[in-house]
Amino acid sequence: MGTEDYDEPVIEAGPERRPGEELGRAREQAGIDLRTMAETLHLPENQLRALEADDYASLPPPTFVRGYLRSYARVLGLDDDEIVGAYDGLGSASSDPQLYLSGGREATAHRRGLALALTALALAVAVSVGAWWWQSRATSSPVDPLAAETQADDAGRTEPADDSADDSSDQFGGGAADASVTASASADSDVEDSDRADASGPDGSTVAELELEREQDAPLREEPAPNRTDTADAPEVDSGARTFGLDSASAEADGADADQSDSAQASAGQANDEGASEDQAGEEQASAADLAAQAEDYEPPAATASADTARSPLAAEGPDRMQLDLDGRSWIEITDARGRELVYTLYTGNAPLELRGWAPFNVFLGNSPAVGIEYNGDAVEKSVFTRSDNTARFLVDGDGARRR
């Protein structure tokens, strides 16, 4: 039997999966709007819109796109490996760009020039600081008050004029008083003791007058003793007043000690009276510290079906209670008046979420019709805040739901 020619069957390829479009449909089914998802993924809305439209030409290189798709799938509770595999199967993913490094010589020269510039700047700053320090030190040198006082005394001293003693004053610096002493000694050698009262000096004055002038000028010849402490202006202190001051200070100190003792006793009594309240406050602080420590380690899940995992440890403390009953999956964000984050996740479970905190509660729901709310046992009517895309933002307190 001869071999007959026949055509091979043609296998038509099925439609390609579009991972971005699949993620967009899942987001809409979960009741999450585009802006909320963009904030969750830390992406601009235009990039997220291009990702859902599978417009990969408008997005960064494939490495980044795979990361976006993987994070998006995890938030929605989908298989991220399957979504990334579907993207790779499109065949439109271009290869990652290669990185080129600049020449080593150019980089080295640039670094060397930068180092030299920084070194020159540091030297200029150091020289400026040193000059400023030296100038400030020179201008602020201390002045010896004793030397200044001595100079002032010398400048203000007025010596009596004596024409006959100019040469002696110029040579020995003794002034008119020294000339008078010399004239007196000369007169003593020429006249008798009985005639001293009638003797005349070089300028015609008698010995008695010269001695009188010497006694009057004697204080002017006294030079200030070195390193002496001038107490001319020091106020006199009465010994009785000083003793009285010490006694008064001692009495005041005794009074202060007595006041301190009374205050200490009063504080001790108050501490005993408030002992129970302090113990209670200490227990509350310890409980709050434990919750704060747990909250630091808590990482809100992207999606969960467990009520215990969905709510933050901080949701166990507070005077006001809120309960959420769900009949479908919804994105939920709730914070209390103290800014504490109680829930931040895509909740896919059916168990009620019971939260505690301080009202008013700040609520955002991605699928508001699927969530019922009770506040301290009373149902909350929130339908007026539900938008066309089923999202809702509002505040909840004792007055019910209200606009935030």
Side-chain angles (χ1 to χ4, degrees):
M1 183 178 67
T3 302
E4 298 180 357
D5 296 334
Y6 61 93
D7 297 332
E8 295 182 357
V10 177
I11 301 176
E12 296 182 356
E16 293 180 342
R17 293 185 58 182
R18 301 178 63 83
E21 184 178 349
E22 292 180 13
L23 293 174
R25 285 196 301 268
R27 174 183 61 78
E28 294 175 354
Q29 293 175 359
I32 306 175
D33 60 0
L34 186 68
R35 184 175 62 85
T36 302
M37 182 58 70
E39 293 176 354
T40 303
L41 296 176
H42 303 289
L43 288 176
E45 290 188 27
N46 59 342
Q47 287 193 359
L48 186 59
R49 192 176 292 106
L51 188 67
E52 292 184 353
D54 295 294
D55 183 12
Y56 303 113
S58 303
L59 295 173
T63 300
F64 296 94
V65 175
R66 293 187 187 96
Y68 300 159
L69 293 173
R70 193 177 298 276
S71 299
Y72 202 163
R74 289 176 180 174
V75 169
L76 296 174
L78 303 177
D79 188 349
D80 55 334
D81 292 333
E82 183 178 350
I83 294 296
V84 172
Y87 167 70
D88 293 336
L90 291 176
S92 60
S94 60
S95 60
D96 293 332
Q98 296 181 356
L99 299 178
Y100 296 94
L101 300 177
S102 60
R105 294 183 179 179
E106 296 179 359
T108 302
H110 177 72
R111 288 194 297 269
R112 184 177 302 153
L114 181 60
L116 290 176
L118 292 177
T119 303
L121 179 60
L123 288 175
V125 171
V127 171
S128 300
V129 171
W132 170 83
W133 176 82
W134 180 263
Q135 183 178 4
S136 61
R137 181 181 180 185
T139 55
S140 61
S141 59
V143 179
D144 186 1
L146 182 58
E149 180 183 359
T150 304
Q151 292 176 1
D153 291 342
D154 294 341
R157 179 179 301 164
T158 303
E159 299 181 355
D162 191 350
D163 298 336
S164 62
D166 289 342
D167 297 338
S168 177
S169 176
D170 293 339
Q171 183 176 0
F172 300 101
D178 292 339
S180 301
V181 175
T182 305
S184 177
S186 177
D188 289 342
S189 62
D190 297 332
V191 298
E192 298 294 334
D193 293 337
S194 60
D195 297 331
R196 290 183 62 192
D198 298 330
S200 298
D203 56 354
S205 60
T206 62
V207 174
E209 293 175 351
L210 293 175
E211 290 182 354
L212 179 60
E213 291 178 0
R214 181 179 61 186
E215 292 177 358
Q216 292 177 352
D217 294 339
L220 298 177
R221 294 198 306 271
E222 294 181 0
E223 296 295 336
N227 299 330
R228 67 178 178 90
T229 302
D230 192 1
T231 59
D233 298 332
E236 295 182 359
V237 181
D238 185 69
S239 58
R242 182 168 58 251
T243 304
F244 174 76
L246 292 175
D247 293 340
S248 300
S250 176
E252 291 177 359
D254 294 339
D257 293 340
D259 293 341
Q260 278 188 347
S261 176
D262 295 340
S263 176
Q265 292 178 0
S267 299
Q270 185 178 1
N272 292 332
D273 295 338
E274 297 177 355
S277 60
E278 288 182 356
D279 293 340
Q280 182 178 2
E283 294 177 358
E284 293 178 355
Q285 290 179 357
S287 176
D290 293 340
L291 289 177
Q294 296 176 11
E296 289 181 359
D297 298 334
Y298 174 75
E299 181 69 23
T304 181
S306 170
D308 294 335
T309 305
R311 54 178 168 243
S312 164
L314 297 175
E317 178 190 21
D320 302 308
R321 183 177 63 87
M322 174 183 286
Q323 178 173 322
L324 284 73
D325 298 306
L326 290 88
D327 57 4
R329 57 196 296 173
S330 175
W331 180 268
I332 303 175
E333 298 177 17
I334 299 179
T335 57
D336 67 358
R338 298 188 175 183
R340 306 182 316 157
E341 185 178 273
L342 308 182
V343 178
Y344 188 88
T345 187
L346 174 63
Y347 186 58
T348 60
N350 296 321
L353 284 176
E354 295 184 0
L355 313 173
R356 284 194 172 274
W358 279 263
F361 295 93
N362 193 337
V363 181
F364 171 75
L365 302 176
N367 188 11
S368 180
V371 184
I373 298 180
E374 292 184 1
Y375 174 77
N376 289 336
D378 298 330
V380 175
E381 174 58 38
K382 56 177 176 55
S383 59
V384 294
F385 300 103
T386 302
R387 303 174 183 175
S388 59
D389 59 355
N390 290 336
T391 63
R393 295 178 182 271
F394 52 89
L395 296 176
V396 175
D397 54 14
D399 296 331
R402 58 186 177 87
R403 188 178 306 277
R404 66 177 184 176

